[in-house]
Amino acid sequence: MEGQEKTVRGIKTFLKTLVTVVLFIIYMFPFYMIVLNAFKHKRDIIKMPLSWGGKKGFTTDNFVDAFQQMNFMNILKNSLIITCVSVFLIILFSSMAAYIFVRKAWKINQIIFMVMLFSMVIPFQVVMIPLISIYGGTFGILNHRATLIFMHLGFSVSMAVFMFHGFIKGGVPISLEEAAQIDGAGKLRTFFQIVFPLLKPTTATLVILYALSLWNDYLLPSLILTDKSLYTIPIATKLFQGTYSNDMDLLMAALVMAIIPVIILYIALQKYIIAGVVAGAVKS
């Protein structure tokens, strides 16, 4: 019986491993294709997309040409400013709001929290046209990085508040705050020196999720930013794809350059992802 049980467990482990490997290959194949073709000439990409180097061999000219044509340093600056400032404001305001919602059992707080939760189910496409009409036609404040950052904050804060709310409610003892207040710490000092450091898992998770989302966002920036000097990386890569021709070699190189910063961020914070998601979602 023990031998049969070991055999069954071995088969299950093998099947799980096999499924994991297959899923890994499926998910990584597009990334592999982008990296592979980023070092090939345009004709080789079209005729032999799966080959190594093609007939003309590997080349790094794609990266040089894409870097120059995109004005990469400028669009990288735009993407970094928009993403970093947006993520910073989302984390700051959502953590403070969630803290107030948890610690102050006011009726108005409960109503606002429920409204924020309901807003999470509204698709962006529903409010897209009215939003652009109001901010563009009525206020005339489109084509500004600050406008895009403000919109990112508005669309993202509800989810962040929800996750911080769950973590604070189940993972931050109020006794620590009471001890700090007895020692003379005010509300702000108690939050930033006692509470906020304990939110590290959820904070790291949200930083990764929103950094990925905002860095790769194409739709909203394309509606807000029309000046080429304000383009972000996803919009700039669209320049290599036209109606009648596609510079696939430059497009692949641009995509690789766009992916690198996100990969670095993910590697730096990956150990907090599972802990943050579980703490923020399950404990709520």
Side-chain angles (χ1 to χ4, degrees), residues 167-284:
F167 189 89
I168 294 172
K169 189 175 181 179
V172 180
I174 194 172
S175 57
L176 295 177
E177 303 169 41
E178 294 172 345
Q181 291 173 5
I182 291 174
D183 291 338
K187 293 291 184 182
L188 286 177
R189 185 177 178 184
T190 299
F191 175 77
F192 284 109
Q193 293 189 356
I194 304 299
V195 178
F196 190 75
L198 298 176
L199 305 179
K200 185 182 295 184
T202 303
T203 300
T205 301
L206 290 172
V207 167
I208 293 173
L209 292 178
Y210 283 117
L212 288 172
S213 175
L214 302 184
W215 184 271
N216 295 321
D217 187 22
Y218 174 83
L219 180 57
L220 187 56
S222 67
L223 296 172
I224 304 299
L225 307 176
T226 57
D227 188 348
K228 287 187 177 180
S229 63
L230 298 176
Y231 277 2
T232 58
I233 291 179
I235 306 177
T237 55
K238 184 67 176 178
L239 298 175
F240 299 124
Q241 185 176 9
T243 305
Y244 302 104
S245 63
N246 294 321
D247 295 326
M248 297 298 295
D249 48 350
L250 303 184
L251 177 61
M252 295 297 175
L255 291 175
V256 171
M257 290 190 290
I259 292 171
I260 291 175
V262 179
I263 293 178
I264 294 174
L265 176 66
Y266 182 84
I267 293 174
L269 300 179
Q270 63 176 331
K271 64 180 181 180
Y272 298 108
I273 294 179
I274 301 300
V277 171
V278 172
V282 175
K283 288 185 179 180
S284 64

Side-chain angles (χ1 to χ4, degrees), residues 15-35:
L15 292 176
K16 290 179 181 179
T17 304
L18 180 62
V19 171
T20 302
V21 171
V22 171
L23 290 175
F24 174 79
I25 294 174
I26 292 174
Y27 280 111
M28 290 301 297
F29 184 73
F31 178 74
Y32 166 78
M33 290 294 295
I34 291 174
V35 175

